[in-house]
Amino acid sequence: MKKFKASHPWPLEFKIEANCSKSKARASSLLLPNYICKTPMFMPVATQGIMKSLTTEQLKKLDCHLILANTYHLALNPGKELLDFYQGIHKFMNWDRAMLTDSGGFQMVSLAKLMVVNEEGVSFTSHLDGTEMFLSPEKSIEIQNSIGADIMMQLDDVVSSTTTGPRVEEAMWRSIRWLDRCLKFHFENEQKIHKQNLFPIIQGGLDIRLRKICCEEMIKRDCSGYAIGGLSGGESKDQFWRIVSLCTDLLPKDKPRYCMGVGYAEDLVVCSALGVDMYDCVFPTRTARFGNALTRKGAFDLKKSTFETDTTPI
Amino acid sequence: MKKFKASHPWPLEFKIEANCSKSKARASSLLLPNYICKTPMFMPVATQGIMKSLTTEQLKKLDCHLILANTYHLALNPGKELLDFYQGIHKFMNWDRAMLTDSGGFQMVSLAKLMVVNEEGVSFTSHLDGTEMFLSPEKSIEIQNSIGADIMMQLDDVVSSTTTGPRVEEAMWRSIRWLDRCLKFHFENEQKIHKQNLFPIIQGGLDIRLRKICCEEMIKRDCSGYAIGGLSGGESKDQFWRIVSLCTDLLPKDKPRYCMGVGYAEDLVVCSALGVDMYDCVFPTRTARFGNALTRKGAFDLKKSTFETDTTPI
């Protein structure tokens, strides 16, 4: 596979509005095909194309600029055919702001009963009905093209952040090769080139050498933004922040940086200081749905009887 | 038990705006402590103090004037103590329009595993945890006073509309005696007299003689509105409408009439022509939640695959 370099301009503009004088933090406007987002930005997760327990109107009132949808779930239901019929998920779910879709790879790893990765792609058993499924870099982009989000993610070879040994390096190189296949497939879709962006995902575990190689290789592909993957999965905070800082040092200053799967308040603050612009996690919305309020004074379990007669604001 | 006649004015004003020249239908303004409602009016059911899948804002946008809450469910959770603390359900559920509460009797009959009625009240087994519970006319009003709805319903002795024989007459007379106990208990609560109305429930099954007696007796109590109960439970449409028409002929023209448990479109139209002003039923909201649309052309099951690619309005 030849290295792919984008020959078309990406439909994304990143304007840095202010830089912090004491840290690597920055505030920016992120112009996407469907909406102008302000960063640093947390992107809540609408797994099945709806935000559980919140209407799209409520999301707008909460000043949410971009929501994330899960490729794996949408591929199963409503499926690619219906998504094509509706020309994407935006109209289907009545959301006229920005969207991002994951590649489906992470859900396979976390939800599938049986998962086998080889160079061609990932084979797995559906968590819904037990049927065999197969996801390749091309197939992931094909589905994401049908979903039509402003930002698509490459299919990567995900390994746990606590994995060590040769498997980490194998997954890193395979993620680079899969990025090229994703880019090639996407750029053959004339209709989508000017409507969707594709972000690479930096892999390499907790190994500084591998992360460096991965950053350098992916930067060569000249994408419009970059994600840091494979973190927030059981490693120490020190290791986590060290890898984030390494990546933000290496990644282009004039492009958005997305740290995947991060949603704890402390991590959002620290990673923003390290120069990250975008985050996603089910943690805040799931926690709220389960009756917990995240406040400046910590988390409150509002279902506790001590709050029964408490009428003070959160 | 002495017959009770209201010695205080009820907090309800009923202004008929127009009378139909061809039927007994009328349009009116119903001034309640919390809101001015327009009738004929359908009252959706918020069983546990929330309307399932709809926010109070959405209910207002749908021009909903009054919602119904279930005394039985609210007595179990949040319970009388918390309702008293919050001075009623209105603030608790963020609803500043009108509310009506049932007496809890119907839920006991329909949900309880074991139910025994005697002159004192109704004993039953909770559907939640199997504990023994007891509901008397006084207890029902005590809870409804705590809930604080604009309109409370008397505890009645409910029998199925297809029941015949002496049990129907027994239930009718007992409902009259229980009405007196409800009124007496309510009028001893100085704080609530000017904030809540209490509606009698006409019983008597499909027996014209019994319905007449019940109407006459309950009209003597001089309440601010009247409900027609014990219908819409398996009898023929002809029998149903005949009893409704008899009651609306007998009930005062200048007071609102509420036909309980009615929610089919056809019944709403016919009963309105017969002079009914208020209705409640879980049918429309439950049907919508299950994916069915009720339209002028009939009901559509929107989950059917034939509607997958149908983008025309309902």
Side-chain angles (χ1 to χ4, degrees):
Chain A
M1 176 65 59
K2 248 176 48 184
K3 186 187 76 188
F4 191 96
K5 192 164 184 296
S7 52
H8 294 268
W10 291 102
L12 181 153
E13 205 176 322
F14 186 67
K15 290 184 185 172
I16 293 178
E17 312 283 357
N19 283 292
C20 177
S21 60
K22 292 178 183 166
S23 74
K24 292 192 273 176
R26 66 263 188 92
S28 78
S29 295
L30 175 61
L31 285 69
L32 293 172
N34 283 285
Y35 201 69
I36 299 172
C37 309
K38 296 288 180 186
T39 73
M41 161 171 73
F42 178 78
M43 311 178 292
V45 183
T47 300
Q48 310 200 39
I50 52 155
M51 192 66 62
K52 286 174 187 158
S53 85
L54 288 174
T55 64
T56 50
E57 278 172 14
Q58 287 173 320
L59 283 170
K60 285 185 185 180
K61 276 191 192 163
L62 291 165
D63 200 27
C64 173
H65 294 186
L66 186 155
I67 58 177
L68 195 144
N70 282 114
T71 296
Y72 170 80
H73 292 87
L74 294 176
L76 296 176
N77 185 21
K80 184 179 145 42
E81 261 184 49
L82 267 189
L83 287 165
D84 283 335
F85 177 83
Y86 286 100
Q87 298 180 299
I89 190 79
H90 276 88
K91 278 184 196 164
F92 196 79
M93 68 177 288
N94 190 28
W95 178 252
D96 56 8
R97 298 192 174 183
M99 288 194 73
L100 182 149
T101 42
D102 59 25
S103 65
F106 181 75
Q107 274 69 41
M108 294 181 320
V109 177
S110 60
L111 290 176
K113 287 176 207 156
L114 284 167
M115 199 258 308
V116 180
V117 184
N118 61 27
E119 189 59 24
E120 189 46 34
V122 194
S123 305
F124 60 103
T125 310
S126 157
H127 81 289
L128 282 183
D129 57 7
T131 54
E132 283 281 317
M133 296 181 74
F134 176 73
L135 195 67
S136 65
E138 293 80 11
K139 184 78 192 162
S140 172
I141 297 301
E142 188 184 10
I143 302 168
Q144 293 189 73
N145 278 159
S146 295
I147 300 173
D150 303 70
I151 299 172
M152 304 183 292
M153 302 306 297
Q154 74 154 105
L155 185 70
D156 54 348
D157 186 1
V158 185
V159 290
S160 160
S161 60
T162 52
T163 304
T164 50
R167 175 74 185 102
V168 183
E169 180 152 8
E170 182 197 43
M172 185 273 283
W173 285 111
R174 182 172 288 149
S175 294
I176 296 171
R177 292 192 296 273
W178 283 4
L179 170 60
D180 283 329
R181 285 167 57 185
C182 287
L183 285 165
K184 182 168 184 293
F185 187 90
H186 175 59
F187 271 83
E188 281 165 1
N189 189 335
E190 286 290 336
Q191 286 196 305
K192 299 293 183 175
I193 296 175
H194 303 293
K195 292 179 181 167
Q196 294 189 277
N197 295 280
L198 175 55
F199 279 19
I201 302 174
I202 313 287
Q203 289 291 350
L206 302 177
D207 188 312
I208 286 176
R209 183 184 66 89
L210 297 182
R211 287 278 176 181
K212 268 189 184 170
I213 296 171
C214 197
C215 280
E216 283 160 13
E217 283 299 321
M218 288 182 168
I219 291 166
K220 288 181 196 166
R221 270 73 179 172
D222 198 24
C223 293
S224 50
Y226 292 88
I228 305 167
L231 293 174
S232 200
E235 75 280 8
S236 72
K237 290 282 181 197
D238 181 65
Q239 289 172 308
F240 168 37
W241 294 331
R242 204 175 287 271
I243 295 295
V244 170
S245 188
L246 171 78
C247 292
T248 54
D249 278 344
L250 296 172
L251 289 169
K253 282 194 167 37
D254 60 348
K255 293 185 175 180
R257 302 147 177 175
Y258 161 27
C259 193
M260 301 179 78
V262 166
Y264 294 140
E266 185 192 17
D267 292 339
L268 298 180
V269 173
V270 173
C271 290
S272 295
L274 295 174
V276 174
D277 309 297
M278 302 158 67
Y279 308 91
D280 82 287
C281 191
V282 295
F283 174 73
T285 46
R286 178 178 290 167
T287 302
R289 232 163 41 236
F290 288 1
N292 292 280
L294 305 174
T295 77
R296 286 175 191 276
K297 291 175 187 167
F300 290 107
D301 180 359
L302 298 178
K303 299 187 304 303
K304 278 196 178 168
S305 59
T306 44
F307 294 114
E308 257 185 8
T309 56
D310 190 338
T311 59
T312 54
I314 293 167
Chain B
M1 175 68 55
K2 248 177 48 182
K3 185 188 76 187
F4 190 97
K5 193 163 183 297
S7 54
H8 294 267
W10 291 102
L12 180 153
E13 204 176 322
F14 187 67
K15 291 184 184 172
I16 293 177
E17 311 284 356
N19 283 293
C20 178
S21 59
K22 293 179 181 166
S23 75
K24 294 190 273 176
R26 65 261 189 94
S28 78
S29 293
L30 176 61
L31 284 70
L32 293 172
N34 282 285
Y35 201 69
I36 301 173
C37 309
K38 297 289 179 185
T39 73
M41 159 171 73
F42 178 79
M43 312 179 290
V45 183
T47 299
Q48 310 200 39
I50 52 154
M51 192 65 63
K52 284 172 189 161
S53 85
L54 288 174
T55 63
T56 50
E57 278 173 14
Q58 288 173 319
L59 283 170
K60 286 185 185 179
K61 277 192 191 164
L62 291 165
D63 199 28
C64 172
H65 294 185
L66 186 155
I67 58 177
L68 195 144
N70 283 114
T71 296
Y72 170 79
H73 291 88
L74 295 176
L76 295 176
N77 185 22
K80 185 178 145 43
E81 260 184 49
L82 266 191
L83 287 164
D84 283 336
F85 177 84
Y86 285 101
Q87 297 180 298
I89 191 78
H90 275 88
K91 278 185 198 164
F92 196 77
M93 68 177 290
N94 189 28
W95 178 252
D96 56 9
R97 297 192 175 184
M99 288 194 75
L100 181 150
T101 41
D102 60 25
S103 65
F106 181 75
Q107 275 68 41
M108 293 181 320
V109 176
S110 59
L111 289 176
K113 287 177 208 156
L114 283 166
M115 200 256 309
V116 179
V117 184
N118 62 26
E119 189 59 23
E120 189 47 35
V122 192
S123 304
F124 59 104
T125 310
S126 158
H127 81 291
L128 281 185
D129 57 7
T131 54
E132 284 280 319
M133 296 180 74
F134 175 74
L135 195 67
S136 65
E138 293 79 10
K139 185 76 193 164
S140 172
I141 298 301
E142 188 184 11
I143 301 168
Q144 292 189 73
N145 279 159
S146 294
I147 299 173
D150 303 71
I151 299 172
M152 304 182 292
M153 301 307 297
Q154 75 154 106
L155 185 71
D156 54 348
D157 186 1
V158 185
V159 290
S160 160
S161 59
T162 52
T163 303
T164 51
R167 176 73 185 102
V168 183
E169 181 151 8
E170 180 196 46
M172 185 273 283
W173 285 110
R174 182 172 286 150
S175 293
I176 297 170
R177 292 191 296 275
W178 282 5
L179 170 61
D180 282 330
R181 286 167 57 186
C182 286
L183 286 165
K184 182 169 184 294
F185 187 90
H186 175 59
F187 271 83
E188 281 166 1
N189 189 335
E190 288 290 337
Q191 286 195 304
K192 299 291 183 176
I193 295 174
H194 304 294
K195 291 179 183 169
Q196 294 187 277
N197 295 281
L198 176 54
F199 278 19
I201 302 174
I202 313 289
Q203 289 292 349
L206 302 177
D207 188 313
I208 286 175
R209 182 183 67 88
L210 298 182
R211 287 279 177 180
K212 268 189 184 169
I213 297 170
C214 197
C215 280
E216 283 161 10
E217 283 299 320
M218 287 182 169
I219 290 166
K220 289 182 197 165
R221 271 71 180 174
D222 198 23
C223 294
S224 50
Y226 292 88
I228 306 167
L231 292 175
S232 200
E235 73 281 8
S236 72
K237 290 282 181 197
D238 182 65
Q239 290 173 308
F240 168 37
W241 293 332
R242 205 174 287 272
I243 295 296
V244 170
S245 189
L246 172 79
C247 291
T248 54
D249 277 344
L250 297 172
L251 288 170
K253 281 194 169 33
D254 59 349
K255 292 185 176 181
R257 302 146 177 177
Y258 161 28
C259 192
M260 301 178 80
V262 167
Y264 293 141
E266 184 190 18
D267 292 340
L268 299 180
V269 173
V270 173
C271 291
S272 294
L274 296 175
V276 174
D277 309 298
M278 302 158 67
Y279 307 91
D280 82 286
C281 191
V282 294
F283 174 72
T285 46
R286 179 179 291 168
T287 301
R289 230 163 42 237
F290 288 0
N292 293 281
L294 305 174
T295 77
R296 287 175 190 275
K297 294 176 186 167
F300 289 106
D301 180 357
L302 298 179
K303 298 188 303 305
K304 276 196 179 167
S305 58
T306 44
F307 295 113
E308 256 186 7
T309 56
D310 190 339
T311 58
T312 54
I314 293 167

